[in-house]
Amino acid sequence: MSTHTQEVPQSRAADLLNALGRALLAFDVKVVLYPIMGLVAFCIVWSITANRIDTSLGKFPGPAQVYEQATVLVDEHRETKQKAAAFYERQEKRNAAKLAKDPNAKVKIRKYTGKETFFDQIFTSLKTVMFGFVIASLIAVPAGIVCGLSDGIYKAVNPLIQIFKPVSPLAWLPLITMVVSAVYVSDDPFFEKSFLNSAFTVALCCLWPTLINTAVGVANVDKDLLNVSRVIKLPALTHVRKIILPASIPMIFTGLRLSLATGWMVLIAAEMLSQNPGLGKFVWDEFQNGSSNSLSRIMVAVVVIGVIGFALDRLILMIQRWVSWDKLAVLR
Amino acid sequence: MANKFLEISQVGIEFPTPNGPFCALRGVDFTIDKGEFVSIIGHSGCGKSTVLNIVAGLYQATEGGVILDGREVDEPGPDRAVVFQSHALMPWLNVYENVALGVEQVFKGQKNKAEMKSWIEHNLKLVKMDHAMHKMPHEISGGMKQRVGIARCLAMQPKVMLMDEPFGALDALTRANLQDSVMEIQKELDTTVILITHDVDEAVLMSDKIVMMSNGPAAKVGEILDIELARPRERLALSKSDQFNFYRQQVLSFLYEKKGVVDFDEAKKQREVSDHAPETAEKIS
């Protein structure tokens, strides 16, 4: 008995060591080295080229200036947060003093109204794109399934899809703005109007890739699997849930990834044009500001937009891996 | 003739094509008794699978019709369950769940959960797949997948089991194994089976009756051959049996000599012409 209990931790430790050894052996230098080499080469070319471009706001920023401005943006964010914290502290103290004097006194709690920092703008943009994307997906996936199942409905809807798909989001923007301000009337709005404008613009452009890919995926489910379902006489909803959905998961996710990528691009443009808060507004404000640091700060935003776009794509890929039955599929 | 278990009477089907309707079958007519094992054999593209699909209700015949146990077939249903050549297992369900998919639908309200579970396990045991119940389809071999396909079909308790070239994609040894299994199960359950095949040995070995189809378009039943070999059938013993070889010969001669042409007089004439041809050639020289 005692020997047995001793053996277990030993073998576990050995397993761990083995696993570690295997991981080290399997670790391919190229996986890390090559991307880093690519990045370094890009930075070199960038800084050389940037040095030769003169603009009215000074030289085009190279990697060093951009990095410097990135740290400045971080510092600014910290400062603003500290100011806000201090503001709330003062307000609390003032109110507490007021209440101590006269328990019936009216206490006002105001929000801190400082300038939004770069990170606030990132957060706003992320919130907006996710909201728009979720709305679009909730519409596009079921609609795509219906279109894929019924040839008649697909033929009826297809011209509309083809016409609206290529429309630039910026053409929709004025219409959406007017409709939102006319329809969404509330004394205590839960959402800001600008938030809804951006989100709906994103949603309108996110619809199409998901809709089309879902419809194609559903229409191309293996005929034999459909026949099995017909022989078993699965009811329509069970048929969709147990056969159609799992079979078209890969295509649905391809659509979702395309949609989110489109949505993210659209959002930045919409924010720039409509001055809705977000990364797009940050870029536009910096451009209008026209200080010697503006270009560097815009470049920081460009890099951040790219990194976030990449991260969003990976996020959907992770969800796909989690949802998909086919764990062996190579997803890229 | 009256009140046969399964009647396929004067079935014809046309498919619309850009060049007008294409007549795949015309006047296909035969009957099957309860518990009978019937093979349909013919050259590829002659429409044997179409016959099966019409019996399954997956295609609608444009002429004639199918009557099973006194009721006309007009839609697919679990009483005519199909074993597909491509096994058609849902890749996202494991072996057990694949069989359960049918069982849960067919026995809804008739069996409780525990009964369903033991019924599914019973059927998997029947095809000797109970050991791999929780494996996914991609983890098992082609032959095993087909066994699961058969279990799924049997578990629906069909009146007639329709097998569409179920062994076509398997290697010879696996195929022989599976043929023996199907024969055993069929004997045990007394299932009525229609088997589509292009393998002459398989047809003779397994069937009570072989329906030989002529070549399309407008394919029809050429000949029906009753196989009166005693069961159980041993493939090794049979390969030496004259009777087996006689039946085999019969089917082969239909398929290759008569080339599946229905108008046998025409075929005979063609053969005579080709027989005489060398003579005339000699005379001329």
Side-chain angles (χ1 to χ4, degrees), chain A residues 63-101:
Chain A
Q65 292 93 312
V66 171
Y67 176 75
E68 190 197 313
Q69 281 310 309
T71 55
V72 170
L73 282 169
V74 173
D75 290 343
E76 276 176 12
H77 177 70
R78 282 213 190 107
E79 249 169 58
T80 315
K81 286 291 123 171
Q82 274 166 9
K83 270 188 199 162
F87 168 80
Y88 284 122
E89 211 182 304
R90 282 202 305 279
Q91 176 172 268
E92 222 167 86
K93 265 188 196 157
R94 206 164 49 233
N95 287 337
K98 242 187 194 173
L99 284 174
K101 239 187 217 170

Side-chain angles (χ1 to χ4, degrees), chain B residues 19 45 108 155 214 224 227:
Chain B
N19 308 322
K108 200 188 275 173
S214 70
I224 295 176
I227 308 289

Side-chain angles (χ1 to χ4, degrees), chain A residues 221-222 224-235 238 241-244 246-247 325-326 328, chain B residues 57-58 75-78 80-82 84 86 88-92 101-102 104-105 108 138 152 156:
Chain A
V221 176
D222 187 351
D224 278 347
L225 300 187
L226 296 181
N227 280 340
V228 169
S229 171
R230 285 176 71 195
V231 166
I232 296 175
K233 278 192 170 168
L234 286 181
T238 319
R241 198 162 49 85
K242 292 209 166 164
I243 315 286
I244 296 294
W325 46 271
D326 194 357
L328 298 178
Chain B
L58 294 168
E75 58 169 355
R80 284 157 284 119
V82 184
F84 295 90
S86 68
L89 299 180
M90 310 296 156
W92 51 89
L101 189 69
E104 277 164 12
Q105 187 59 33
K108 200 188 275 173
H138 68 83
R152 174 173 64 188
M156 292 185 238

